[in-house]
Amino acid sequence: MTWLSALKETARTGLTVERKRLEPLVAARGAAGLALVIGLSLTLFGPAVAASSAFGAFQAAIATFQRSWRPRPELALASGTSLAVSTFLGYLTGSHLLLFLALLSLWTFLSGLSWAAGPTVGIIASSNVAIMLVTVTLPTSVAEAAGHAAMMIVGGCVQAALVVLFPVRRWGAHRDALADALAAEADYARRLRHDPVAPFDPEPLMAARDAARITPRQARSRPAELRGSRGVAERIRPVLASLADPAVGVPDEGRERDRVREILAAAGTVLDAAARAIRHGEPVRVAPAALAALKTPDTGAILTGPAHRASARLAALLRDVLETAGGARTEEARLTGGPADPLLRPTFPALVPSGLRAMRAALRHESPIARHAIRVTAVAAAGYLLGTWLPFGHGYWAPMAAVMVLRPDFSQTYSRAVARFGGTLVGVALATGLVQLAHPGTALSAAVAVVCAGLMYLLMRTGQVAAQACVSAYVVFLLGMGGQQWTQTVPERVILTLLGGVLAMIAYALYPAWETPRLRTRLADWLIEDGRYAAAVVDHYADPGGGESPDVREALLAARDARVAWQEASDRAKNEPVRHRGLSRATAADAEECLAQLGRVAMLMEAHLPDRDATPVPAAARLADALRKATEQGAKAVRERRVPEWDAVRTALAEWDGEGVPDRVVRRGAGLLLEALEDLSEALDTTPPPMLVDGTSARTGPDGRPEDPKDPKDPPPTGPGADRS
């Protein structure tokens, strides 16, 4: 993508206002907390302290809106406290330019590194640094600075207390995550009726698992319907795929296929009903026809072998989903101890060491997080110096805008820069017009500022431009409450915001962290994890008892993480103004399809894992070892821009043909694994074929030698790259 195209795309993204589900009660609660803090501060201490405390309460409420599965009061307290510490230390050094620059650089660098601990921590840290640049200018003495910091902590405490006292849809985010996972599987079941090899995005299941990791305090109050459905939902997906896939299930057409379509439709209805019940905390209501379709005794007479086995497993899993969604504990859950042994998330104090370890691990020059930290530190210092030297006053707007705009990736940085400037223009224009019409005093300015903050809380998920317009108006009225006229804040705010955004964009262009050159590494990581997952599944056929076999579940989760990392990197690379370096978009798309197929075949085999007393398949152990080693070597070849080879897997599979295979799923699945790997090599082989005398391209066979184009016995090319010349 050229620079012009990239700038157009990021500008369009930044100025887009999306339709999102609004949460007016949550927005009203945040605005009410802000109003309480401002009113208390105005009454007891005056406008200056009220402005500082308002910033603390404002930022604490924003923290509770971040995407996090932690209790919201913890986020509000952490945000208010960290802003108070930043403001107090900033004021102590504010009278010495070099000392303040050193503190600002340190604070900004740490906030940039904090993205390694997660986006929620990174957003809160960056926002605190940006707001600190404003709040350090409000006190006039050390005692006042301490008082301002204390009121910021009070603001965080007020927001935390309101979350506790007036919970709005408690456990709502966790309910939505689990319901979204079940709804995604319901949609998957319906799509499988028409496309037996339909793809499935595992992200809803990953989000549900992330939401299931709770703190010990949350574990004591978690609703019963959130304690078992996710684990059952994880096992439903491979069963659905294996029931529909003709490779291991039933033929494409006929009586058996009609029965499978009926079961899949009923499964979609049941999963939708469970999702609806969990989302709203209501009893499960399922259409009787769907339950009758699952319970009909004709299934055993129509389906046989793996298909019948999959249908029986699906019916049992759907019963468990209905029971857990209704708040009951299934017998399986009681035996496995799932609800009583939740996935525990570390407490806030225990999170600090892990966050520090992540930040230390990111201290590498090639790390995007480290480059972001260096970039944002340089821009904040340069913006502060320029804002101080320029004759506008309020020079902190430039570094504040730069810190809020910069993100670790290109698309977000440039789209936020456009959105921030556009939103600032709209917000200050509206606020200025209202000020000139109404000439509000202190109380009215405070009230309008609270309204603007409430609108920001309400609209912040619809896009950056809407949120920035509300924030700009909020700041105008808040500073006007302290006695500053709009003529003292609006013109310099617009100019310095533009300056900060331009500095951020220039900084990323000069010191980028492009994702495009790392696509091969991401693809290689995904190949390794997919290979380990497939090997773990195949290993269980060799040792059904699972004595020394690797854990299939852990391998699956690692493969999912690698797939999501690849998809995120691929999405970021699409909008980067960088030419591809050895991995074009077409090649990347073909390779992604092949690795998705590899993981899908492994999932089909997982759906039919043998019982502990099943007959072992010794050849499966050799194939698993070959898969593990070959994919590691193949990943190395991908990183080195070579075409991976699969001779070891091919040899192991040929040896398997001489042994008895008790289940057709095993051998058929093993063959599909090799096909997916060979398709990957074909997708990555971008070497042009040799030219014939007549100027046409020669086809090459599996051995790499040119084929005779006149030979009618040559089979047509197949695979993801078959349509490429």
Side-chain angles (χ1 to χ4, degrees):
M1 181 177 287
T2 64
W3 268 99
L4 182 59
S5 300
L7 292 176
K8 287 181 179 179
E9 181 64 25
T10 52
R12 185 192 63 79
T13 303
L15 296 177
T16 299
V17 177
E18 302 178 5
R19 297 188 62 179
K20 295 284 187 179
R21 187 180 68 183
L22 303 181
E23 298 180 325
L25 292 179
V26 179
R29 184 181 63 193
L34 181 60
L36 286 174
V37 172
I38 292 179
L40 180 65
S41 302
L42 274 176
T43 304
L44 298 179
F45 305 108
V49 176
S52 286
S53 60
F55 276 114
F58 177 74
Q59 175 61 16
I62 289 179
T64 64
F65 280 87
Q66 300 306 314
R67 183 174 177 82
S68 175
W69 309 113
R70 291 192 168 278
R72 303 294 162 175
E74 293 182 2
L75 298 176
L77 290 174
S79 177
T81 304
S82 59
L83 179 59
V85 173
S86 302
T87 298
F88 184 71
L89 293 179
Y91 178 79
L92 293 181
T93 60
S95 58
H96 305 281
L97 179 60
L98 294 180
L99 191 58
F100 180 75
L101 274 178
L103 177 67
L104 176 62
S105 299
L106 175 63
W107 234 234
T108 309
F109 184 78
L110 292 176
S111 72
L113 273 184
S114 67
W115 283 84
T120 299
V121 177
I123 290 173
I124 293 176
S126 300
S127 301
N128 283 351
V129 171
I131 293 177
M132 179 267 289
L133 290 165
V134 181
T135 55
V136 294
T137 65
L138 299 175
T140 57
S141 66
V142 175
E144 282 192 13
H148 285 227
M151 288 305 298
M152 290 176 189
I153 297 176
V154 170
C157 292
V158 168
Q159 294 289 9
L162 288 178
V163 173
V164 174
L165 296 175
F166 301 100
V168 178
R169 202 166 170 258
R170 197 180 180 200
W171 294 95
H174 299 75
R175 288 183 180 277
D176 287 343
L178 179 54
D180 289 345
L182 293 173
E185 290 197 321
D187 176 70
Y188 182 53
R190 284 188 289 269
R191 286 188 290 116
L192 287 174
R193 298 177 64 230
H194 310 288
D195 181 8
V197 292
F200 179 80
D201 185 359
E203 186 162 347
L205 291 176
M206 298 177 68
R209 178 179 174 79
D210 196 21
R213 296 181 65 234
I214 54 179
T215 63
R217 183 166 64 86
Q218 287 177 309
R220 293 192 291 269
S221 59
R222 183 170 56 170
E225 58 268 29
L226 299 182
R227 299 184 184 182
S229 297
R230 182 199 59 81
V232 180
E234 290 277 3
R235 296 193 292 275
I236 287 179
R237 184 220 168 178
V239 175
L240 288 172
S242 66
L243 180 64
D245 198 313
V248 295
V250 299
D252 290 328
E253 295 297 336
R255 186 184 179 198
E256 292 176 314
R257 175 57 59 179
D258 292 338
R259 177 59 185 143
V260 165
R261 291 192 179 109
E262 185 181 358
I263 293 175
L264 291 173
T269 301
V270 171
L271 290 169
D272 268 339
R276 188 165 49 251
I278 289 174
R279 193 184 303 276
H280 301 291
E282 301 172 348
V284 183
R285 297 181 178 87
V286 186
L291 295 177
L294 293 172
K295 295 178 180 179
T296 176
D298 295 341
T299 302
I302 300 174
L303 302 180
T304 59
H308 181 260
R309 207 163 51 233
S311 66
R313 288 185 180 180
L314 179 61
L317 291 172
L318 291 175
R319 282 196 302 271
D320 288 344
V321 166
L322 292 178
E323 291 183 14
T324 52
R329 295 184 59 178
T330 65
E331 182 64 26
E332 180 182 5
R334 281 191 290 269
L335 293 175
T336 60
D341 186 21
L343 298 170
L344 290 181
R345 187 182 300 275
T347 60
F348 229 84
L351 185 66
V352 175
S354 62
L356 293 177
R357 286 193 298 270
M359 293 168 65
R360 185 173 59 183
L363 280 174
R364 298 174 289 108
H365 182 264
E366 64 274 11
S367 167
I369 300 298
R371 295 176 75 88
H372 168 69
I374 295 172
R375 191 188 310 122
V376 73
T377 302
V379 169
Y384 188 81
L385 288 175
L386 284 175
T388 303
W389 289 338
L390 289 174
F392 297 118
H394 301 282
Y396 49 75
W397 292 123
M400 178 184 180
V403 171
M404 293 299 293
V405 162
L406 272 171
R407 288 293 184 265
D409 67 279
F410 167 81
S411 296
Q412 283 197 49
T413 296
Y414 276 63
S415 63
R416 288 177 66 87
V418 174
R420 188 166 186 86
F421 183 68
T424 298
L425 284 178
V426 173
V428 298
L430 294 175
T432 301
L434 188 56
V435 167
Q436 288 184 311
L437 287 175
H439 301 288
T442 300
L444 185 56
S445 294
V448 179
V450 170
V451 172
C452 292
L455 287 175
M456 198 280 294
Y457 298 147
L458 183 65
L459 302 176
M460 65 185 302
R461 298 191 188 278
T462 63
Q464 281 295 314
V465 66
Q468 289 303 326
C470 297
V471 170
S472 298
Y474 168 76
V475 173
V476 170
F477 288 111
L478 194 65
L479 296 182
M481 180 186 67
Q484 299 187 31
Q485 300 298 319
W486 71 269
T487 54
Q488 298 176 284
T489 59
V490 170
E492 55 262 34
R493 169 110 200 241
V494 173
I495 296 173
L496 293 174
T497 296
L498 176 60
L499 175 63
V502 170
L503 283 176
M505 297 169 78
I506 292 175
Y508 204 103
L510 294 178
Y511 191 62
W514 303 125
E515 198 67 53
T516 302
R518 290 192 290 270
L519 284 180
R520 280 189 171 271
T521 300
R522 301 286 190 187
L523 188 68
D525 294 341
W526 186 14
L527 174 59
I528 289 177
E529 298 302 339
D530 257 7
R532 290 174 179 170
Y533 170 46
V537 172
V538 174
D539 253 333
H540 275 266
Y541 286 95
D543 181 17
E548 299 182 357
S549 299
D551 186 71
V552 173
R553 181 67 184 153
E554 293 299 323
L556 172 61
L557 295 177
R560 283 182 180 172
D561 289 339
R563 175 177 179 171
V564 169
W566 157 262
Q567 289 176 334
E568 291 176 350
S570 180
D571 291 340
R572 288 194 292 265
K574 287 178 182 177
N575 293 328
E576 290 180 348
V578 183
R579 294 184 62 186
H580 76 82
R581 302 179 186 178
L583 198 63
S584 65
R585 286 192 180 183
T587 302
D590 290 343
E592 178 179 343
E593 182 180 344
C594 296
L595 283 185
Q597 174 66 4
L598 178 64
R600 184 177 177 280
V601 173
M603 179 192 66
L604 292 176
M605 298 180 70
E606 181 191 353
H608 295 276
L609 284 179
D611 297 328
R612 291 184 174 271
D613 57 350
T615 304
V617 183
R622 294 192 292 272
L623 177 62
D625 187 60
L627 280 170
R628 200 174 289 110
K629 293 179 180 178
T631 48
E632 291 176 357
Q633 295 171 357
K636 182 180 179 182
V638 171
R639 294 190 182 99
E640 297 174 353
R641 306 189 181 189
R642 295 184 287 109
V643 178
E645 299 178 354
W646 314 108
D647 293 338
V649 179
R650 199 174 291 109
T651 301
L653 204 56
E655 293 176 354
W656 192 338
D657 288 336
E659 299 185 12
V661 180
D663 196 325
R664 69 184 184 189
V665 174
V666 186
R667 180 58 182 82
R668 178 58 179 155
L672 291 174
L673 291 175
L674 177 59
E675 288 182 18
L677 292 173
E678 290 176 338
D679 287 344
L680 175 64
S681 295
E682 184 179 349
L684 294 175
D685 186 4
T686 57
T687 305
M691 302 296 292
L692 299 178
V693 176
D694 59 0
T696 60
S697 298
R699 289 210 315 258
T700 56
D703 57 357
R705 294 179 297 180
E707 295 179 352
D708 184 358
K710 298 181 180 180
D711 187 357
K713 296 181 180 179
D714 288 342
T718 58
D723 58 342
R724 296 198 305 270
S725 60

